[in-house]
């Protein structure tokens, strides 16, 4: 007999921490911390498809969980406070010896590319495009299905506010409207694009309130 599908519900906060939805209060002590599990979870993360939306409609949650991390017969639905991918650390690239890496999930990382930054005109939050490239632009295996969304509608990860603060010295006023970012290594300036509408948090996200990191 075919094993019955099981559904679980999770949330991701503005610091990128993963929680079972029913856990209260949600703080660093109650977040899921097993690095191997968290990496496994995020590596399967994608937007829900029609068949999964139908399942959510049956429990009255069709608009609440826009992402899912499937694993066998398990559907792990995710409601993020903003983006499901949150870059919670910016570190030196110890493997390639140059450049920087943005870290999300447990310890998954992708190259920091100053030309791939975006800012929300609605909240002022800073984002980085999810890319499947090396720092030199060569294609590599996608870290998550969200990283493989294609160039027509790229997905974005939220940059945790404390990491955004660490980038603040490199962000300057642009020549026109908006801001530019200066590359650490070359001194070259890149315009910070506005976050595309499709990448903004929906009604499922937390309302913007000038939040601070805990």
């Amino acid at each position: 007999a075919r094993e019955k599908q099981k559904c679980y519900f999770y949330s991701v906060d503005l610091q990128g921490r993963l929680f079972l939805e029913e856990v209260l209060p949600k703080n660093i002590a109650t977040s899921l911390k097993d690095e191997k599990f968290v990496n496994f979870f995020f590596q399967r993360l994608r937007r829900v498809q029609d068949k999964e939306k139908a399942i959510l409609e049956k429990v009255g949650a069709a608009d609440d969980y826009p992402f899912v991390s499937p694993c066998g017969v398990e559907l792990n639905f995710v409601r993020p406070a903003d983006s499901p991918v949150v870059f919670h650390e910016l570190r030196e690239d110890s493997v390639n010896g140059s450049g920087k890496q943005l870290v999300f999930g447990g310890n998954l990382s992708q190259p920091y590319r100053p030309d791939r930054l975006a800012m929300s005109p609605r909240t002022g939050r800073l984002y980085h495009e999810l890319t499947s490239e090396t720092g030199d632009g060569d294609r590599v295996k996608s870290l998550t299905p969200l990283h493989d969304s294609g160039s027509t509608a790229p997905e974005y990860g939220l940059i945790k506010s404390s990491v955004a603060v660490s980038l603040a010295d490199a962000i300057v006023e642009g020549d026109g409207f908006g801001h530019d970012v200066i590359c650490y290594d070359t001194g070259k300036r890149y315009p910070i694009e506005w976050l595309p509408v499709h990448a903004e948090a929906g009604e499922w996200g937390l309302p913007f309130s000038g939040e601070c990191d805990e």
Side-chain angles (χ1 to χ4, degrees):
R2 186 177 178 182
E3 193 171 352
K4 187 177 180 181
Q5 201 158 49
K6 300 175 182 177
C7 296
Y8 300 93
F9 297 88
Y10 293 80
S11 62
V12 176
D13 70 6
L14 295 173
Q15 288 76 48
R17 298 178 300 212
L18 181 66
F19 300 89
L20 276 166
E21 191 71 290
E22 65 265 25
V23 170
L24 292 173
K26 289 179 169 59
N27 53 44
I28 192 169
T30 59
S31 64
L32 295 164
K33 303 178 193 63
D34 184 278
E35 197 170 81
K36 185 176 180 180
F37 170 79
V38 173
N39 283 344
F40 182 87
F41 189 97
F42 276 92
Q43 284 171 326
R44 285 152 180 76
L45 196 61
R46 59 169 171 77
R47 289 187 180 268
V48 294
Q49 299 172 352
D50 289 343
K51 59 184 178 181
E52 291 134 5
K53 288 180 182 179
I55 293 171
L56 289 170
E57 285 174 357
K58 292 179 180 179
V59 295
D63 298 325
D64 296 332
Y65 295 89
F67 300 93
V68 65
S69 176
C71 179
V73 296
E74 294 182 5
L75 289 175
N76 300 299
F77 291 104
V78 180
R79 170 166 42 192
D82 189 306
S83 166
V85 171
V86 180
F87 296 112
H88 53 74
E89 182 184 353
L90 179 67
R91 68 187 182 196
E92 299 295 330
D93 188 341
S94 58
V95 176
N96 297 310
S98 64
K100 295 183 180 293
Q101 293 275 323
L102 286 164
V103 184
F104 69 98
N107 64 350
L108 301 171
S109 64
Q110 69 168 65
Y112 166 67
R113 296 274 303 272
D115 59 326
R116 300 300 180 91
L117 291 177
M119 184 178 291
S120 168
R122 183 163 60 88
T123 66
R125 291 173 184 159
L126 194 63
Y127 299 77
H128 191 288
E129 185 179 331
L130 304 186
T131 60
S132 299
E133 300 173 350
T134 66
D136 296 326
D138 296 327
R139 295 285 298 178
V140 294
K141 183 179 178 181
S142 297
L143 289 166
T144 76
L146 294 173
H147 283 73
D148 198 29
S149 60
S151 58
T152 53
E155 300 280 3
Y156 287 79
L158 174 68
I159 295 180
K160 182 181 173 182
S161 59
S162 60
V163 177
V165 168
S166 74
L167 293 171
D169 287 343
I171 296 176
V172 297
E173 289 293 328
D175 293 333
F177 295 103
H179 300 80
D180 289 352
V181 62
I182 301 173
C183 178
Y184 285 112
D185 299 323
T186 66
K188 186 175 180 180
R189 289 171 64 136
Y190 298 94
I192 298 177
E193 304 292 340
W194 292 118
L195 186 70
V197 173
H198 77 267
E200 290 276 11
E203 294 183 359
W204 37 264
L206 283 180
F208 179 67
S209 60
E211 75 288 336
C212 297
D213 286 334
E214 294 179 12

